[in-house]
Amino acid sequence: MLLVVGLGALYLLLPGWIDSPAVRQRIEESAREATGRDFHYEKLSFGLIPPRLVVESPSLSGETPADPPFAEAREVSLKIALLPLLQRTLLLENLVVEEATVRLVRDGSGLRLPEREKKERKPRGEGEGGPNRDDDEGVDLAVQEVALRDARILFEDRTVSPASTLEIEALNVTAVLSPTEPTRVDLDAKLGGGSVELEGSADLLAKQSEWTASLDGIALDLLAPYLGEGRSVAGALSGTVAGKGEPASPDLSADLAVSEGVFQIRDVKLRGPLAIRADLAGGEQRSGTFDIDATGAALDAYDGVFQKPAGKPGSVKGRFVPKGDGDFEIDDVEIKIHNLDARGRIEVGRRVQAELAAGAFDLAGWDTILPALAEYQLTGTLRPGTLRLATEPLAVRGRIGLDGVKLVLPDGPEIALQGAVEGTGDALKLVDLALTTGGETVRLAGEISGLANDRKAYRLALDSD
């Protein structure tokens, strides 16, 4: 009977005490000490069955009075388990945050997060209220489940110019915590016009995590501010990304597809769908292998000098190695275009440099890839060997052999070519080149110089019997 009366009195008196000015002042002062920011709420209420605290319209101020709140929510509720209280343990069965908004800002000094107020600590026993209690007289706190419902995160990155803003909407997160098992996490959100779903687990003590994320229609132009001058990207990204290892920098495995993609690195543009597979090691600088299939995409380089029509075989794979400042190197690279299979390495930065080796291949069909050759009806075999190519300025080094190459001059006769073309940097030279037409053979020597200039020089010498 006394228990019933006691519970009834608690039910009647506790709500008024919880929402009293003294309690409000104590909570707001404690939050100020913990975060260095002003904390306010509209109402604090207590429910007995089931035991729970509800905070209505909590808000944590921005860095300055003129800034919007760093974090705010419609409601925060905490459901309390009764039996653990007998063992001096405050167990929150769940902590639910409804319709929260968090505003994050990053600048040159990093993320600008709330920080604990710096105060001179008093010796134990000298604070207000007398000596501190022994540690074993405190109350343990444990949480079984944390949930975010319909949250929003606004991220402003001031390290790029102009500043970039990323918005995550309709964010729902459920984390199930256990003292003996890894934390389980489920997440879904709207991002960049698409959606992302994630499920996984994390053991923070062992610094291990394992998760899988599913992406659907996320706009790639979110990356545009970070690509650097002369580079752009657009399209929609879908597929899966899996992570395993240290939570802050796990190993990643991706199987992705880009629809309506548009990628540009200075004078090279790729437009169309892509299939991407990658395995990247963790760490500050990601490195690993990748495989990109661009068969369905069209490639245009250097104002139409080189083109790959959509549907023509085209792929690249290799080992990705970052070099800093947005530059990177691709080792063990393999490039396939039409019937060409080239292997080597590529450095991508302000100047693209490549060293590629390829076997002999038939010229049939290359008139659609090199439009300048279309009117000559080119046939025969090309033997590229090892070539070293660079852009800005354009440079070509190596020898390309011509074996049984035939072409037809516009409104003219058929010509057969045998010999080689040699790149010496900013020039192309004819080496041991024999031209046969109408039963007669002419030996040619010549050079195209100034490849890197707007004005090119041509020299040609003929020798015939």
Side-chain angles (χ1 to χ4, degrees), residues 215 237-241 254-258 274-277:
L215 314 178
L237 182 67
S238 303
T240 60
V241 179
D255 187 354
L256 302 167
V258 177
L274 296 180
I276 304 170
R277 293 181 177 85

Side-chain angles (χ1 to χ4, degrees), residues 19 24 27-28 31 38-45 53-61 69-78 96-101 103:
D19 202 31
R24 178 184 294 270
I27 291 174
E28 292 181 351
D38 291 331
F39 174 75
H40 301 287
Y41 60 90
E42 185 175 300
K43 183 179 181 180
L44 178 63
S45 59
L53 283 174
V54 179
V55 185
E56 297 181 16
S57 302
S59 174
L60 187 64
S61 69
F70 171 79
E72 57 186 333
R74 180 179 64 82
E75 179 183 282
V76 177
S77 64
L78 301 85
V96 181
V97 181
E98 301 275 2
E99 299 178 20
T101 297
R103 298 173 178 88

Side-chain angles (χ1 to χ4, degrees), residues 26 33 120-133:
R26 181 66 180 273
E33 292 179 3
E120 183 178 349
R121 298 188 62 181
K122 298 180 180 180
R124 292 177 64 88
E126 296 185 8
E128 294 183 4
N132 290 328
R133 296 181 302 174

Side-chain angles (χ1 to χ4, degrees), residues 63-406:
E63 194 168 7
T64 70
D67 292 333
F70 171 79
E72 57 186 333
R74 180 179 64 82
E75 179 183 282
V76 177
S77 64
L78 301 85
K79 183 179 178 183
I80 304 169
L82 280 177
L83 291 180
L85 290 175
L86 300 177
Q87 299 176 335
R88 305 187 65 80
T89 297
L90 178 58
L91 175 62
L92 302 181
E93 292 185 357
N94 61 41
L95 188 161
V96 181
V97 181
E98 301 275 2
E99 299 178 20
T101 297
V102 179
R103 298 173 178 88
L104 300 174
V105 175
R106 185 176 77 162
D107 58 18
S109 61
L111 275 178
R112 306 190 66 85
L113 299 175
E115 296 182 0
R116 188 180 185 88
E117 283 191 336
K118 295 180 181 179
K119 290 187 176 181
E120 183 178 349
R121 298 188 62 181
K122 298 180 180 180
R124 292 177 64 88
E126 296 185 8
E128 294 183 4
N132 290 328
R133 296 181 302 174
D134 293 334
D135 291 340
D136 59 358
E137 293 182 1
V139 177
D140 294 328
L141 173 65
V143 182
Q144 285 185 333
E145 181 178 291
V146 177
L148 287 176
R149 295 176 181 167
D150 200 19
R152 182 173 64 143
I153 297 177
L154 303 175
F155 175 65
E156 182 183 2
D157 192 348
R158 298 175 182 172
T159 64
V160 295
S161 182
S164 171
T165 301
L166 174 68
E167 183 171 352
I168 301 174
E169 300 179 287
L171 173 62
N172 296 285
V173 182
T174 300
V176 180
L177 296 86
S178 167
T180 58
E181 300 292 333
T183 298
R184 291 287 309 170
V185 178
D186 291 287
L187 176 154
D188 62 81
K190 301 294 184 184
L191 173 64
S195 64
V196 56
E197 296 182 3
L198 180 146
E199 61 178 20
S201 63
D203 188 334
L204 300 182
L205 293 178
K207 294 184 178 181
Q208 291 294 312
S209 65
E210 186 171 358
W211 50 267
T212 300
S214 299
L215 314 178
D216 184 17
I218 296 177
L220 284 175
D221 54 12
L222 295 173
L223 303 175
Y226 304 95
L227 299 180
E229 184 181 357
R231 301 174 184 177
S232 63
V233 62
L237 182 67
S238 303
T240 60
V241 179
K244 188 175 183 180
E246 187 173 343
S249 183
D251 296 338
L252 297 177
S253 178
D255 187 354
L256 302 167
V258 177
S259 59
E260 300 180 357
V262 180
F263 302 84
Q264 184 159 4
I265 301 178
R266 296 185 177 86
D267 295 324
V268 179
K269 177 180 281 189
L270 185 69
R271 183 185 296 272
L274 296 180
I276 304 170
R277 293 181 177 85
D279 291 289
L280 304 177
E284 292 184 3
Q285 289 192 325
R286 293 285 180 186
S287 63
T289 60
F290 69 93
D291 187 342
I292 302 174
D293 187 350
T295 298
L299 177 67
D300 187 308
Y302 309 107
D303 294 326
V305 172
F306 182 94
Q307 297 180 346
K308 186 198 82 66
K312 201 71 121 169
S315 64
V316 58
K317 62 181 179 179
R319 185 166 56 89
F320 176 86
V321 183
K323 298 180 64 178
D325 299 326
D327 297 348
F328 58 91
E329 183 174 301
I330 306 174
D331 293 333
D332 305 322
V333 67
E334 181 177 350
I335 299 174
K336 292 184 178 181
I337 300 176
H338 187 38
N339 59 348
L340 168 66
D341 188 349
R343 301 166 189 256
R345 58 186 294 272
I346 302 174
E347 294 182 16
V348 179
R350 185 165 187 83
R351 192 182 193 204
V352 178
Q353 301 182 77
E355 180 176 324
L356 302 170
F361 62 93
D362 197 304
L363 287 171
W366 277 85
D367 52 349
T368 60
I369 297 173
L370 296 170
L373 302 178
E375 61 180 333
Y376 298 104
Q377 304 175 38
L378 207 61
T379 60
T381 301
L382 215 60
R383 302 183 183 278
T386 298
L387 295 177
R388 295 174 181 83
L389 311 171
T391 65
E392 298 184 17
L394 179 63
V396 181
R397 296 186 182 275
R399 178 175 291 202
I400 303 174
L402 287 71
D403 188 0
V405 174
K406 295 182 179 180

